[in-house]
C-alpha cells in the first residue's frame, strides 16, 4: 500500500473470486501511527553546588524504552547515557568537571522512541565554565588611623573596586 501518510485507522478489504464464481472476502483494520512522542526537557545546572547538572524529561506517553541522553561539549566530546525513571518521568545527573566536558556550551539532547518506532528529540544547552573569575578591577585600599579624645587610636580601612561582569560570579570575600 502506498500513499498512506497520516496517522489513523485504515480499513483494508480484499475480495477474491475463483473461476467457478466462488467469492471470499477478508477485512482488517490497520492503525498507522507516525506521530512522535511529545515531551519537555529541562536542564538544571549545579543542582547540588558540586558540579552536578540534572537533565529531566517529562513524556506525553510511555516510550518503548528509556530515553537516551547525549551530551556534546564544545570540544566535540560525545557521551551517551540511558536516562533513569519510569513511565513518563525520566532524569539523569551528569557530573560536570574538567574531565567530563570542555569549557563552553554543552548540548544535552534527549531522544525517545515510541512503540511504533517514531523517534523525536529535544536539545537544551548549558554553559560549563571552569575558568576562575577575574579579580575585581581597580582594587584599592585606603587605610587610616586617628586618635580619639580619650587618647586611644581608631583605625579604618576603605575598600573600593569595580565589579567583575562575569555572569556566574558568586561574590567576593575579604
Amino acid at each position: 500500500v502506498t500513499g498512506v501518510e497520516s496517522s489513523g485507522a485504515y480499513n483494508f478489504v480484499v475480495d477474491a473470486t475463483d473461476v467457478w464464481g466462488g467469492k471470499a472476502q477478508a477485512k482488517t483494520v490497520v492503525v498507522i501511527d507516525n506521530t512522535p512522542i511529545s515531551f519537555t526537557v529541562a536542564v538544571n545546572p549545579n543542582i547540588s553546588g558540586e558540579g552536578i547538572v540534572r537533565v529531566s524529561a517529562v513524556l506525553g506517553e510511555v516510550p518503548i524504552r528509556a530515553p537516551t541522553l547525549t551530551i556534546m561539549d564544545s570540544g566535540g566530546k560525545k557521551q551517551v547515557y540511558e536516562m533513569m525513571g519510569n513511565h513518563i518521568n525520566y532524569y539523569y545527573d551528569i557530573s560536570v568537571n574538567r574531565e567530563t566536558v570542555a569549557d563552553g556550551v554543552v548540548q544535552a539532547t534527549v531522544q525517545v522512541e515510541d512503540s511504533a518506532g517514531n523517534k523525536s528529540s529535544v536539545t537544551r544547552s548549558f554553559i560549563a565554565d571552569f575558568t576562575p573569575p577575574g579579580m575585581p578591577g581597580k582594587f584599592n585600599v585606603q587605610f587610616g588611623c586617628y586618635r580619639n579624645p580619650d587618647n586611644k587610636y581608631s583605625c579604618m580601612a576603605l575598600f573600593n573596586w569595580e565589579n567583575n561582569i562575569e555572569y556566574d560570579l558568586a561574590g567576593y570575600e575579604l
Side-chain angles (χ1 to χ4, degrees):
V1 175
T2 60
V4 176
E5 293 184 13
S6 60
S7 294
Y10 293 89
N11 295 308
F12 289 92
V13 178
V14 176
D15 290 319
T17 305
D18 65 17
V19 292
W20 306 107
K23 295 184 179 192
Q25 187 178 67
K27 297 178 182 181
T28 189
V29 176
V30 175
V31 177
I32 305 291
D33 175 6
N34 57 12
T35 304
I37 296 175
S38 63
F39 65 104
T40 59
V41 172
V43 175
N44 300 308
N46 211 14
I47 58 171
S48 66
E50 311 238 346
I52 302 295
V53 173
R54 173 165 284 182
V55 177
S56 56
V58 178
L59 284 56
E61 64 182 87
V62 178
I64 193 166
R65 66 182 65 81
T68 58
L69 169 63
T70 303
I71 300 295
M72 179 75 77
D73 70 15
S74 60
K77 182 178 180 182
K78 181 179 179 180
Q79 303 166 62
V80 179
Y81 306 98
E82 183 175 300
M83 296 182 77
M84 296 176 278
N86 55 16
H87 305 294
I88 60 171
N89 295 303
Y90 291 87
Y91 72 94
Y92 197 87
D93 292 342
I94 308 156
S95 177
V96 176
N97 57 52
R98 289 184 188 276
E99 287 78 40
T100 58
V101 296
D103 257 359
V105 176
V106 178
Q107 292 184 334
T109 301
V110 176
Q111 184 175 35
V112 297
E113 181 177 359
D114 67 13
S115 59
N118 299 310
K119 294 179 182 179
S120 56
S121 63
V122 173
T123 300
R124 298 287 183 260
S125 299
F126 63 92
I127 296 174
D129 180 4
F130 306 114
T131 306
M135 292 305 294
K138 296 184 181 177
F139 182 75
N140 67 60
V141 178
Q142 296 174 348
F143 187 78
C145 292
Y146 62 93
R147 189 183 299 212
N148 291 329
D150 59 358
N151 223 16
K152 293 182 181 177
Y153 283 94
S154 291
C155 296
M156 183 173 61
L158 177 63
F159 297 89
N160 290 302
W161 65 82
E162 288 181 355
N163 284 337
N164 184 321
I165 60 171
E166 292 183 46
Y167 74 93
D168 61 344
L169 180 65
Y172 298 113
E173 280 187 36
L174 299 176

